[in-house]
Each structure stands twice: as structure tokens, then as C-alpha cells.
Amino acid sequence: MAQAFGPGDSVRAQRGLPTLPDNDVELHQRIDTLAEAIRNKNLDQVMTHYAPDVVAYDVLSPLEVLGTDAYRRNFEKWFATMAGRISFEMMDLHVSASDTHAFSYFLSHVTGARTGGGRADYWVRVSSDWRKVDGEWLVAHEHVSMPTLM
């Protein structure tokens, strides 16, 4: 009988690494679709990843954002500053999931053309708390920050 693998698990198995638990695989897929929606500036698709009562601490003001309507406005502001597709490269993605709650964090290198000219080139740190609602993983809390030298 052939062993069933999740996305990316066959590569892990070939390298002798353990396969990921189902919830971790689902989270990785969900994070990948969110990143792709960000790259394409697909606002409607981005917002399908967030719980209606999401609490976010963002780099754009307001610093505390309550609910998807408010968070949507932050994404609108950010997307308006970028011309064309955004390069949103995730590094060191970590995921830990139970059956109902999960946590993820990663670094992201953001680059792309600015609408007013010039180029964006910066790093952000993203930590997200997820909860499973009706079988779907949604971000309930997110913290996005930019490193600075003190």
C-alpha cells in the first residue's frame, strides 16, 4: 500500500524527513494562498484569510486594527503605494497547530515598484494566531512589525 503524503510531504519523505501533521499542512497551504493574494494585490482574496473580529497590530496606522473592515483599509493603503505585483518572499516560516488553534511566524522581504516612483525594499516580521472556523483556518490576531536599529 502506498503511503499518502500532503503537499510537499513527498519531498520531505524522499529526504528522510518526517511528514507534517494534517493541520500543519493545511496551515502551510493557507499561508501560501494568503501570500499569493498579497503578491497579486487581490484584496478580496486577502480578506478571506481573516476572522471578522481579527485584532491586528500593523506597521500602518492605526497601529491597533479591530475587525476586517478596518484591516481591509490598511491593506488598501499599502496596495495603493505599490505599482504592479508585490514581491513578498517568506523566510523561515514556522507553524504549530492543534485541531482548533495555530500559530505561525516568518520574516518577509518585500520589494517592488512604488506608485510614486522608486522602489520598495524592506523586511517585515509577521506573527499570526489562527483559529479553525467551520473547517477553515482564519487569522484571529496578527502582528506585523519592521525591524529598526536602536
Side-chain angles (χ1 to χ4, degrees):
M1 177 181 232
Q3 186 173 0
F5 296 108
D9 278 347
S10 60
V11 171
R12 294 178 65 81
Q14 289 171 6
R15 294 182 182 162
L17 300 172
T19 58
L20 296 173
D22 288 345
N23 284 322
D24 286 12
V25 170
E26 289 175 17
L27 251 297
H28 277 269
Q29 292 170 336
R30 209 56 188 136
I31 293 165
D32 286 345
T33 61
L34 174 56
E36 191 60 22
I38 288 170
R39 291 179 190 114
N40 292 322
K41 299 191 313 187
N42 184 334
L43 189 55
D44 290 334
Q45 186 63 32
V46 166
M47 298 316 300
T48 66
H49 293 79
Y50 293 92
D53 59 345
V54 65
V55 175
Y57 300 131
D58 202 358
V59 294
L60 296 173
S61 64
L63 298 179
E64 181 181 58
V65 182
L66 305 175
T68 52
D69 290 341
Y71 207 19
R72 181 184 187 93
R73 287 190 291 276
N74 275 29
F75 277 104
E76 287 171 342
K77 285 190 274 186
W78 177 37
F79 290 171
T81 69
M82 302 295 289
R85 187 172 160 87
I86 297 171
S87 176
F88 186 83
E89 298 176 55
M90 294 185 305
M91 282 39 151
D92 299 323
L93 172 62
H94 297 269
V95 170
S96 178
S98 72
D99 288 337
T100 59
H101 290 83
F103 181 75
S104 67
Y105 60 93
F106 59 89
L107 296 171
S108 181
H109 188 205
V110 179
T111 59
R114 296 247 187 221
T115 54
R119 296 208 36 90
D121 187 347
Y122 55 88
W123 287 85
V124 293
R125 299 170 290 210
V126 181
S127 299
S128 303
D129 294 315
W130 299 76
R131 71 175 177 245
K132 203 169 213 180
V133 179
D134 296 327
E136 185 169 48
W137 288 107
L138 299 175
V139 176
H141 172 74
E142 189 158 77
H143 186 136
V144 182
S145 63
M146 296 180 90
T148 62
L149 297 176
M150 301 293 282

Short mmCIF file of all heavy atoms in Angstrom, two decimals, residues 66-100:
data_model
loop_
_atom_site.label_atom_id
_atom_site.label_comp_id
_atom_site.label_asym_id
_atom_site.label_seq_id
_atom_site.Cartn_x
_atom_site.Cartn_y
_atom_site.Cartn_z
N LEU A 66 -9.02 46.77 14.55
CA LEU A 66 -10.05 45.87 15.05
C LEU A 66 -11.06 45.55 13.96
O LEU A 66 -11.75 46.44 13.47
CB LEU A 66 -10.76 46.50 16.26
CG LEU A 66 -9.85 46.94 17.41
CD1 LEU A 66 -10.64 47.65 18.49
CD2 LEU A 66 -9.10 45.74 17.99
N GLY A 67 -11.12 44.30 13.55
CA GLY A 67 -12.09 43.85 12.57
C GLY A 67 -11.59 43.92 11.14
O GLY A 67 -10.66 44.65 10.81
N THR A 68 -12.24 43.12 10.29
CA THR A 68 -11.79 43.03 8.90
C THR A 68 -12.03 44.31 8.11
O THR A 68 -11.25 44.61 7.20
CB THR A 68 -12.45 41.84 8.17
OG1 THR A 68 -13.87 41.92 8.34
CG2 THR A 68 -11.93 40.51 8.68
N ASP A 69 -13.06 45.07 8.42
CA ASP A 69 -13.29 46.32 7.68
C ASP A 69 -12.11 47.27 7.87
O ASP A 69 -11.61 47.86 6.91
CB ASP A 69 -14.59 47.00 8.11
CG ASP A 69 -15.83 46.24 7.65
OD1 ASP A 69 -15.72 45.41 6.72
OD2 ASP A 69 -16.90 46.46 8.24
N ALA A 70 -11.66 47.40 9.11
CA ALA A 70 -10.53 48.29 9.40
C ALA A 70 -9.23 47.73 8.81
O ALA A 70 -8.43 48.49 8.25
CB ALA A 70 -10.40 48.49 10.90
N TYR A 71 -9.02 46.42 8.92
CA TYR A 71 -7.79 45.83 8.40
C TYR A 71 -7.76 45.92 6.87
O TYR A 71 -6.72 46.15 6.27
CB TYR A 71 -7.64 44.39 8.88
CG TYR A 71 -6.21 43.91 8.97
CD1 TYR A 71 -5.13 44.79 9.01
CD2 TYR A 71 -5.93 42.55 9.04
CE1 TYR A 71 -3.82 44.33 9.11
CE2 TYR A 71 -4.62 42.09 9.14
CZ TYR A 71 -3.58 42.98 9.17
OH TYR A 71 -2.29 42.52 9.27
N ARG A 72 -8.92 45.79 6.26
CA ARG A 72 -9.02 45.94 4.80
C ARG A 72 -8.51 47.32 4.38
O ARG A 72 -7.80 47.45 3.40
CB ARG A 72 -10.47 45.73 4.36
CG ARG A 72 -10.67 45.84 2.86
CD ARG A 72 -12.16 45.70 2.49
NE ARG A 72 -12.30 45.64 1.07
CZ ARG A 72 -12.35 44.51 0.36
NH1 ARG A 72 -12.30 43.34 0.95
NH2 ARG A 72 -12.46 44.56 -0.95
N ARG A 73 -8.87 48.36 5.15
CA ARG A 73 -8.41 49.71 4.82
C ARG A 73 -6.88 49.81 4.88
O ARG A 73 -6.27 50.50 4.07
CB ARG A 73 -9.07 50.74 5.73
CG ARG A 73 -10.55 50.95 5.40
CD ARG A 73 -11.16 52.13 6.12
NE ARG A 73 -11.29 51.93 7.57
CZ ARG A 73 -12.29 51.32 8.17
NH1 ARG A 73 -13.30 50.82 7.44
NH2 ARG A 73 -12.33 51.20 9.49
N ASN A 74 -6.26 49.12 5.84
CA ASN A 74 -4.79 49.12 5.89
C ASN A 74 -4.19 48.46 4.66
O ASN A 74 -3.22 48.96 4.09
CB ASN A 74 -4.30 48.44 7.16
CG ASN A 74 -4.25 49.37 8.34
OD1 ASN A 74 -5.03 50.32 8.42
ND2 ASN A 74 -3.35 49.11 9.27
N PHE A 75 -4.76 47.33 4.25
CA PHE A 75 -4.27 46.67 3.03
C PHE A 75 -4.50 47.57 1.81
O PHE A 75 -3.63 47.66 0.94
CB PHE A 75 -4.95 45.31 2.83
CG PHE A 75 -4.32 44.20 3.60
CD1 PHE A 75 -4.93 43.70 4.75
CD2 PHE A 75 -3.12 43.62 3.19
CE1 PHE A 75 -4.35 42.67 5.47
CE2 PHE A 75 -2.54 42.59 3.89
CZ PHE A 75 -3.15 42.11 5.05
N GLU A 76 -5.64 48.24 1.74
CA GLU A 76 -5.90 49.17 0.63
C GLU A 76 -4.84 50.25 0.56
O GLU A 76 -4.32 50.57 -0.52
CB GLU A 76 -7.28 49.82 0.77
CG GLU A 76 -8.44 48.89 0.48
CD GLU A 76 -9.80 49.48 0.83
OE1 GLU A 76 -9.87 50.47 1.61
OE2 GLU A 76 -10.81 48.95 0.32
N LYS A 77 -4.49 50.84 1.72
CA LYS A 77 -3.46 51.88 1.76
C LYS A 77 -2.12 51.34 1.28
O LYS A 77 -1.43 51.98 0.49
CB LYS A 77 -3.30 52.44 3.18
CG LYS A 77 -4.40 53.37 3.61
CD LYS A 77 -4.06 54.07 4.92
CE LYS A 77 -4.46 53.23 6.09
NZ LYS A 77 -4.29 53.89 7.39
N TRP A 78 -1.76 50.14 1.77
CA TRP A 78 -0.47 49.55 1.39
C TRP A 78 -0.45 49.24 -0.10
O TRP A 78 0.49 49.62 -0.80
CB TRP A 78 -0.21 48.29 2.22
CG TRP A 78 1.07 47.57 1.85
CD1 TRP A 78 2.25 48.13 1.48
CD2 TRP A 78 1.26 46.17 1.83
NE1 TRP A 78 3.19 47.15 1.23
CE2 TRP A 78 2.61 45.93 1.44
CE3 TRP A 78 0.46 45.08 2.11
CZ2 TRP A 78 3.15 44.66 1.33
CZ3 TRP A 78 1.00 43.81 2.00
CH2 TRP A 78 2.33 43.60 1.61
N PHE A 79 -1.48 48.57 -0.60
CA PHE A 79 -1.51 48.20 -2.02
C PHE A 79 -1.47 49.43 -2.91
O PHE A 79 -0.88 49.40 -3.99
CB PHE A 79 -2.75 47.35 -2.33
CG PHE A 79 -2.71 45.95 -1.75
CD1 PHE A 79 -3.84 45.16 -1.79
CD2 PHE A 79 -1.56 45.42 -1.17
CE1 PHE A 79 -3.83 43.86 -1.28
CE2 PHE A 79 -1.54 44.13 -0.65
CZ PHE A 79 -2.68 43.34 -0.70
N ALA A 80 -2.07 50.53 -2.47
CA ALA A 80 -2.07 51.77 -3.28
C ALA A 80 -0.67 52.36 -3.41
O ALA A 80 -0.41 53.11 -4.36
CB ALA A 80 -3.02 52.79 -2.66
N THR A 81 0.23 52.03 -2.49
CA THR A 81 1.60 52.56 -2.58
C THR A 81 2.48 51.75 -3.52
O THR A 81 3.58 52.18 -3.85
CB THR A 81 2.28 52.59 -1.19
OG1 THR A 81 2.54 51.26 -0.74
CG2 THR A 81 1.46 53.37 -0.18
N MET A 82 1.99 50.58 -3.96
CA MET A 82 2.80 49.68 -4.77
C MET A 82 2.24 49.59 -6.19
O MET A 82 1.05 49.38 -6.38
CB MET A 82 2.81 48.28 -4.15
CG MET A 82 3.34 48.23 -2.72
SD MET A 82 5.06 48.68 -2.55
CE MET A 82 5.83 47.26 -3.30
N ALA A 83 3.13 49.76 -7.16
CA ALA A 83 2.75 49.66 -8.57
C ALA A 83 2.97 48.21 -9.03
O ALA A 83 4.05 47.67 -8.88
CB ALA A 83 3.59 50.61 -9.42
N GLY A 84 1.93 47.60 -9.54
CA GLY A 84 2.07 46.23 -10.03
C GLY A 84 2.18 45.21 -8.92
O GLY A 84 1.87 45.47 -7.75
N ARG A 85 2.67 44.06 -9.29
CA ARG A 85 2.79 42.92 -8.38
C ARG A 85 3.82 43.21 -7.28
O ARG A 85 4.84 43.85 -7.53
CB ARG A 85 3.18 41.69 -9.20
CG ARG A 85 3.19 40.39 -8.45
CD ARG A 85 3.39 39.25 -9.46
NE ARG A 85 3.87 38.04 -8.82
CZ ARG A 85 3.09 37.12 -8.27
NH1 ARG A 85 1.79 37.26 -8.29
NH2 ARG A 85 3.60 36.05 -7.71
N ILE A 86 3.56 42.70 -6.08
CA ILE A 86 4.46 42.85 -4.94
C ILE A 86 5.30 41.59 -4.81
O ILE A 86 4.76 40.47 -4.87
CB ILE A 86 3.66 43.08 -3.64
CG1 ILE A 86 2.86 44.38 -3.72
CG2 ILE A 86 4.59 43.08 -2.43
CD1 ILE A 86 1.87 44.56 -2.57
N SER A 87 6.60 41.75 -4.64
CA SER A 87 7.44 40.60 -4.30
C SER A 87 7.37 40.44 -2.79
O SER A 87 7.78 41.34 -2.04
CB SER A 87 8.87 40.82 -4.76
OG SER A 87 9.67 39.73 -4.34
N PHE A 88 6.80 39.33 -2.33
CA PHE A 88 6.58 39.06 -0.91
C PHE A 88 7.18 37.69 -0.63
O PHE A 88 6.53 36.67 -0.74
CB PHE A 88 5.07 39.08 -0.64
CG PHE A 88 4.67 38.95 0.80
CD1 PHE A 88 4.66 40.05 1.64
CD2 PHE A 88 4.28 37.72 1.32
CE1 PHE A 88 4.27 39.93 2.97
CE2 PHE A 88 3.89 37.59 2.65
CZ PHE A 88 3.89 38.70 3.47
N GLU A 89 8.49 37.68 -0.32
CA GLU A 89 9.22 36.43 -0.10
C GLU A 89 9.20 36.09 1.39
O GLU A 89 9.65 36.90 2.21
CB GLU A 89 10.67 36.56 -0.55
CG GLU A 89 10.85 36.84 -2.02
CD GLU A 89 12.31 37.05 -2.35
OE1 GLU A 89 13.12 36.15 -2.02
OE2 GLU A 89 12.64 38.10 -2.90
N MET A 90 8.71 34.91 1.72
CA MET A 90 8.66 34.47 3.12
C MET A 90 9.88 33.61 3.42
O MET A 90 10.23 32.72 2.65
CB MET A 90 7.39 33.67 3.39
CG MET A 90 6.13 34.49 3.26
SD MET A 90 4.64 33.57 3.73
CE MET A 90 4.72 32.14 2.69
N MET A 91 10.51 33.89 4.56
CA MET A 91 11.67 33.13 5.01
C MET A 91 11.37 32.56 6.39
O MET A 91 10.73 33.21 7.21
CB MET A 91 12.88 34.03 5.16
CG MET A 91 13.65 34.47 3.92
SD MET A 91 12.72 34.87 2.52
CE MET A 91 13.72 36.05 1.71
N ASP A 92 11.90 31.37 6.66
CA ASP A 92 11.83 30.78 7.99
C ASP A 92 10.41 30.68 8.53
O ASP A 92 10.16 31.04 9.69
CB ASP A 92 12.72 31.55 8.97
CG ASP A 92 14.18 31.54 8.56
OD1 ASP A 92 14.63 30.50 8.04
OD2 ASP A 92 14.86 32.57 8.73
N LEU A 93 9.50 30.19 7.72
CA LEU A 93 8.12 30.00 8.17
C LEU A 93 8.07 28.89 9.22
O LEU A 93 8.59 27.80 9.01
CB LEU A 93 7.22 29.64 6.99
CG LEU A 93 5.78 29.23 7.32
CD1 LEU A 93 5.03 30.37 8.01
CD2 LEU A 93 5.06 28.79 6.05
N HIS A 94 7.45 29.21 10.34
CA HIS A 94 7.23 28.25 11.42
C HIS A 94 5.73 28.15 11.67
O HIS A 94 5.05 29.17 11.75
CB HIS A 94 7.94 28.69 12.70
CG HIS A 94 9.41 28.75 12.56
ND1 HIS A 94 10.24 27.69 12.85
CD2 HIS A 94 10.23 29.75 12.14
CE1 HIS A 94 11.49 28.03 12.62
NE2 HIS A 94 11.51 29.28 12.20
N VAL A 95 5.24 26.91 11.82
CA VAL A 95 3.82 26.67 12.05
C VAL A 95 3.69 25.64 13.17
O VAL A 95 4.41 24.65 13.19
CB VAL A 95 3.12 26.14 10.78
CG1 VAL A 95 1.71 25.67 11.08
CG2 VAL A 95 3.11 27.20 9.69
N SER A 96 2.76 25.91 14.07
CA SER A 96 2.43 24.96 15.12
C SER A 96 0.90 24.97 15.25
O SER A 96 0.31 26.02 15.50
CB SER A 96 3.07 25.36 16.45
OG SER A 96 2.70 24.46 17.46
N ALA A 97 0.28 23.80 15.06
CA ALA A 97 -1.18 23.76 15.01
C ALA A 97 -1.75 22.63 15.85
O ALA A 97 -1.20 21.53 15.90
CB ALA A 97 -1.65 23.59 13.57
N SER A 98 -2.86 22.93 16.51
CA SER A 98 -3.67 21.90 17.14
C SER A 98 -4.89 21.71 16.24
O SER A 98 -4.89 22.17 15.10
CB SER A 98 -4.09 22.34 18.55
OG SER A 98 -5.06 23.37 18.49
N ASP A 99 -5.93 21.09 16.74
CA ASP A 99 -7.12 20.90 15.91
C ASP A 99 -7.94 22.17 15.74
O ASP A 99 -8.70 22.29 14.78
CB ASP A 99 -8.00 19.79 16.49
CG ASP A 99 -7.39 18.42 16.30
OD1 ASP A 99 -6.56 18.26 15.38
OD2 ASP A 99 -7.75 17.51 17.07
N THR A 100 -7.81 23.13 16.66
CA THR A 100 -8.65 24.33 16.60
C THR A 100 -7.88 25.64 16.56
O THR A 100 -8.44 26.66 16.16
CB THR A 100 -9.60 24.38 17.81
OG1 THR A 100 -8.81 24.39 19.02
CG2 THR A 100 -10.56 23.20 17.81
#
